[in-house]
Each structure stands twice: as structure tokens, then as C-alpha cells.
Amino acid sequence: MNDNRTVKSHDLLPEPTLRRLPWYLAYVTMLKSEGVEYVSSTRIADELCVDASQIAKDLSFINIKGKTRIGYEVSSLKDALRRFLGFCDRHNAVMVGVGSLGAALMQDSGLQRYGLNIVAGIDTDPRLEGRRIADIPVFAPDRLADLVQSLAITIGIVAVPVESAQTVADSLVAAGVKALWNFTPTRIRVPQEVVITNTSIYSHLAVMYNRLGSQKT
Amino acid sequence: MNDNRTVKSHDLLPEPTLRRLPWYLAYVTMLKSEGVEYVSSTRIADELCVDASQIAKDLSFINIKGKTRIGYEVSSLKDALRRFLGFCDRHNAVMVGVGSLGAALMQDSGLQRYGLNIVAGIDTDPRLEGRRIADIPVFAPDRLADLVQSLAITIGIVAVPVESAQTVADSLVAAGVKALWNFTPTRIRVPQEVVITNTSIYSHLAVMYNRLGSQKT
């Protein structure tokens, strides 16, 4: 655990707050690159269409308070948000399923910038075994438990076909990961102590198509 | 507009329903591959941890009713869901920002299976101009308006750095796209008639890290 973290970071934050914090981070990162030193919650509010009082409340969770009339100091707000969001720590992860989406994510250097360190890939395809994707080695499934232990992997990313999703999740949990990041469009069951985050990009497509269709009438 | 769609598909469905429908689709697709012919809402409920009455309600939106004692016919439920969710139509899209994440998404054949047809990439980097990623040609930004018109592009995917996100969104809207799919971790403002879907995978990471941290205490 990073000593720089405030005690607050261990609290279970409301998910809407957690989803807004990266917006604030993105905005102050941009302001910093433009040389801006201070920003008011009103300005953040205008830019991001979030209520100013909501912003003050969200930021109070991470023990950041603005100064009257001056607002927030951009540089320290940026650092505090990055630390709080866990983007400064290194979280070792294994990608299970080095198919189209899995391989694509392994090549996204953005994940690394946000603290996700994919240290190994796993695939059932023997042709992938021993290969490297974005310099990350790919292994056969029987290496999973061993890799999770020896590489101190805490996060398992599930990017396999739907029919294997639950089996893969079960073996990741058995191997000892603490969190699963599910990219399949199905629901995965995990024990209560395991964190699960669903990023079903295909479900987002369905929402978008429906909204598009309804606007044509 | 696809004639096979029911009138209902134009209604604005509740987003939670829209996010559950792909789970049902994933599950019945798997059942079909296993040769299962009928499935009850109770069985879907058990598998996906969704209330059985909720499932019946969700499926009634797409005019699908189960038969007493027998349940839903797997094959027609699968087809109805795919059609309803827009996965059978072709939606032409342009990827703006062919960096790490943008290029990765262009290589994900899953998107194509779910009806998203990325027909062009746009990037400010002159070294990318004229190149092909997964056989999709990459163009300079000044070609955007022309491409949207000539290739009948309705969806603009935003995968640029945060500081360019709003500018890119504005030019996509000006070029005539009907929907934006925002992969940047920032908020984008669009006119009310334009559909916006946010898939901020880095924000999901923040939620996961926070949940992980809180479980260590």
C-alpha cells in the first residue's frame, strides 16, 4: 500500500463520485499543461456540466479543499487525484484471452499510464504460447496459478469468449487474484471478497444504437 | 432502418434494461451452441443473478413472450435480441485518434460482429496518413467532413488525447455524425440531438482500484 495515500482512499466511495473524479483529473491535467495555476469549482462545473457544490463535495472525499476566491491549486489537485485514484501505484495484471480485444488492450499504453501493469497473457491457442504482444509474454492456461503467485498479480482481465468467461473467472479466483476486470458481454459470478468491474463495450454499443434508432422517428 | 425491427425498437428503453439485454443475448447464444432449445426465465435468472420477473419485463419490451412451462425458444430469442439491439445492422463509424487505444479498437473484430463498421481512421500524425490498420485506411483531419458524407458515417469514435476531445467532437458533429462514442476520460458536450455514449475504461480502473484498496483494511 502506498504511504502517500490518505486514509480516506480506503473508504468505499460512491461510484458516481469515483466516476467523476477522473473527469476532474483530465481537466486539471489539461489546465496544468496550459500553465493555469488555480481553478475554481465554478469553472470546473461550467466545463464539465457538473454542479459546483457536487464538485466541492466530491473533492472533500479526498481531503482537498479550495481556497476562498482563489479556488483549487491545479498542480496539487492533479497530484492528489492521481494518487487517490490509484493511478500512481503499480497493479500487476494478467490478460486471459489474447484474442482480438485482449491483444488490443495489451497494446494500449494508456492502461500503463493509469497504473495497470499487464505482466502476462494467457491463451488456449498453442500458437500464441511463447509469443510476445507489446513485449508481454503469452503463456498456456496451465501456467496461470504459478504466474499469479510469482508475478504478484492482483488483477485478472477476462477477455475470452462468453462461454469460457465463468470458468476463466473461477480459475483466476482460485489462483488468488483480488479483482476481475470483465470485458465479456456476460455476467460473471465471484465470491463476495473479490472485486468485479464490468466493461462491456458491446453493451455500450447497444445503448448507442437504441438511442440512435429512437431519434430517427 | 431495418424492416425486421419491431416498432418498439424506436422507443427509448430504460438504460438498465438495455444493459441487461446483451447479457441475455450472450447467455442464449451459448445455450444455442450447446444445442439447448428452450430456456425458462427462472433458469436465465439463476444464471445471471437477475430477478425472473425483471427478465420477463425486459423481454416484453422487445415483444418476446415465453410459453407457459416451456419458456423461451432459444433460437428465436437470440435472433430477436440481436435484431433489437441493432447488432444485425451495419453502422458506419470513423475512428478519430489512431493512437494506442484507437488502433487497438480498430483491430478488434468483435466490434464488427456487433454491427460496428469502422470504415476510416483520422489522425493528426502525418506518418499515419495513407497507412492501413486492420485494413482500415487512415486519413488526415482535413478529410473528415468529406469522409463522413461519402462513406455515410453515422458514428464518430473519439480516442484522442483529452485536450483535443471537445474540438474533435465539435468537428464530428459539424460533419454530420449522429452519435459520438467517447473513449477519453473527459466529458464532452454535444447538441441535444446527438447521441453520446461514454466508455471511459480508465474510469473503470479507478473504481476497481478503490474497491481493491477498501478491501485491504
Side-chain angles (χ1 to χ4, degrees):
Chain A
M1 193 84 290
N2 192 323
D3 287 332
N4 289 327
R5 286 202 186 181
T6 61
V7 159
K8 284 265 186 180
S9 73
H10 299 281
D11 295 347
L12 206 61
L13 242 70
E15 191 157 325
T17 295
L18 268 173
R19 291 196 186 266
R20 280 189 298 266
L21 293 178
W23 295 346
Y24 308 152
L25 174 59
Y27 183 54
V28 294
T29 302
M30 190 177 76
L31 289 179
K32 200 189 165 185
S33 73
E34 291 168 354
V36 177
E37 283 183 54
Y38 288 92
V39 63
S40 66
S41 52
T42 329
R43 184 161 162 198
I44 305 180
D46 285 350
E47 185 65 28
L48 302 176
C49 306
V50 176
D51 198 63
S53 62
Q54 183 67 64
I55 291 170
K57 201 178 155 194
D58 287 345
L59 294 180
S60 73
F61 277 117
I62 57 169
N63 283 334
I64 290 269
K65 286 197 179 61
K67 289 180 196 159
T68 325
R69 284 165 196 264
I70 302 178
Y72 300 95
E73 211 256 306
V74 166
S75 185
S76 48
L77 180 52
K78 182 192 161 193
D79 293 344
L81 281 166
R82 273 189 62 83
R83 263 203 313 277
F84 182 84
L85 290 169
F87 295 159
C88 295
D89 300 329
R90 297 279 94 196
H91 304 82
N92 285 354
V94 58
M95 173 69 70
V96 186
V98 186
S100 170
L101 182 62
L105 290 168
M106 285 163 82
Q107 290 168 65
D108 175 24
S109 58
L111 292 173
Q112 187 116 33
R113 269 201 316 282
Y114 286 89
L116 192 78
N117 202 18
I118 305 177
V119 292
I122 296 276
D123 204 280
T124 51
D125 185 344
R127 287 167 301 176
L128 285 170
E129 204 186 322
R131 276 190 55 192
R132 284 177 170 265
I133 313 269
D135 215 30
I136 302 160
V138 181
F139 301 90
D142 60 4
R143 296 292 310 281
L144 181 62
D146 159 40
L147 289 166
V148 167
Q149 293 307 314
S150 60
L151 300 175
I153 290 168
T154 52
I155 296 171
I157 311 173
V158 183
V160 293
V162 165
E163 54 273 25
S164 323
Q166 188 62 53
T167 318
V168 159
D170 293 344
S171 33
L172 280 165
V173 169
V177 303
K178 304 297 175 210
L180 292 185
W181 195 3
N182 174 27
F183 277 90
T184 77
T186 190
R187 207 163 189 189
I188 285 177
R189 284 152 303 169
V190 291
Q192 216 177 346
E193 68 276 14
V194 174
V195 174
I196 178 128
T197 303
N198 295 296
T199 300
S200 174
I201 63 175
Y202 308 128
S203 305
H204 290 193
L205 267 182
V207 175
M208 183 161 61
Y209 296 159
N210 183 266
R211 299 296 181 248
L212 266 174
S214 68
Q215 298 205 336
K216 287 185 190 162
T217 52
Chain B
M1 195 81 297
N2 191 324
D3 287 332
N4 289 327
R5 286 200 188 186
T6 62
V7 160
K8 283 264 183 177
S9 75
H10 299 283
D11 295 347
L12 205 60
L13 242 69
E15 192 157 326
T17 295
L18 268 172
R19 292 195 186 268
R20 279 188 299 265
L21 293 178
W23 295 346
Y24 308 153
L25 174 59
Y27 182 55
V28 293
T29 302
M30 190 176 77
L31 290 179
K32 200 189 166 186
S33 74
E34 289 169 355
V36 177
E37 282 184 54
Y38 289 93
V39 63
S40 65
S41 53
T42 329
R43 183 163 163 196
I44 305 181
D46 285 349
E47 185 66 29
L48 303 176
C49 306
V50 175
D51 197 63
S53 63
Q54 182 66 64
I55 291 169
K57 201 177 156 193
D58 287 344
L59 294 179
S60 74
F61 277 115
I62 57 171
N63 283 334
I64 291 269
K65 286 197 179 62
K67 287 179 198 159
T68 323
R69 285 168 195 261
I70 302 178
Y72 300 95
E73 211 257 303
V74 166
S75 186
S76 48
L77 181 51
K78 182 194 161 191
D79 293 345
L81 281 166
R82 274 189 61 85
R83 266 203 311 279
F84 183 84
L85 290 169
F87 295 158
C88 296
D89 300 329
R90 297 278 94 199
H91 304 84
N92 284 353
V94 58
M95 173 68 71
V96 186
V98 185
S100 169
L101 182 62
L105 290 167
M106 285 162 82
Q107 290 167 67
D108 174 25
S109 58
L111 293 172
Q112 188 116 31
R113 267 200 319 280
Y114 286 89
L116 192 77
N117 202 16
I118 305 178
V119 292
I122 296 275
D123 205 281
T124 51
D125 185 344
R127 287 166 302 178
L128 286 171
E129 205 185 321
R131 278 190 53 192
R132 283 175 171 268
I133 313 269
D135 214 32
I136 303 160
V138 181
F139 301 91
D142 60 5
R143 295 290 311 280
L144 181 62
D146 158 40
L147 288 166
V148 167
Q149 293 306 315
S150 59
L151 300 176
I153 290 167
T154 51
I155 296 171
I157 311 173
V158 184
V160 294
V162 164
E163 54 272 23
S164 323
Q166 188 61 53
T167 319
V168 160
D170 293 344
S171 34
L172 280 164
V173 170
V177 303
K178 304 297 176 211
L180 292 185
W181 196 3
N182 174 28
F183 277 91
T184 77
T186 191
R187 206 162 191 190
I188 285 177
R189 282 153 304 171
V190 291
Q192 215 176 349
E193 69 276 15
V194 174
V195 174
I196 178 129
T197 303
N198 295 296
T199 301
S200 175
I201 63 175
Y202 308 128
S203 305
H204 289 192
L205 267 183
V207 175
M208 183 162 59
Y209 295 160
N210 184 265
R211 300 294 183 248
L212 266 175
S214 68
Q215 299 205 334
K216 288 185 189 162
T217 52

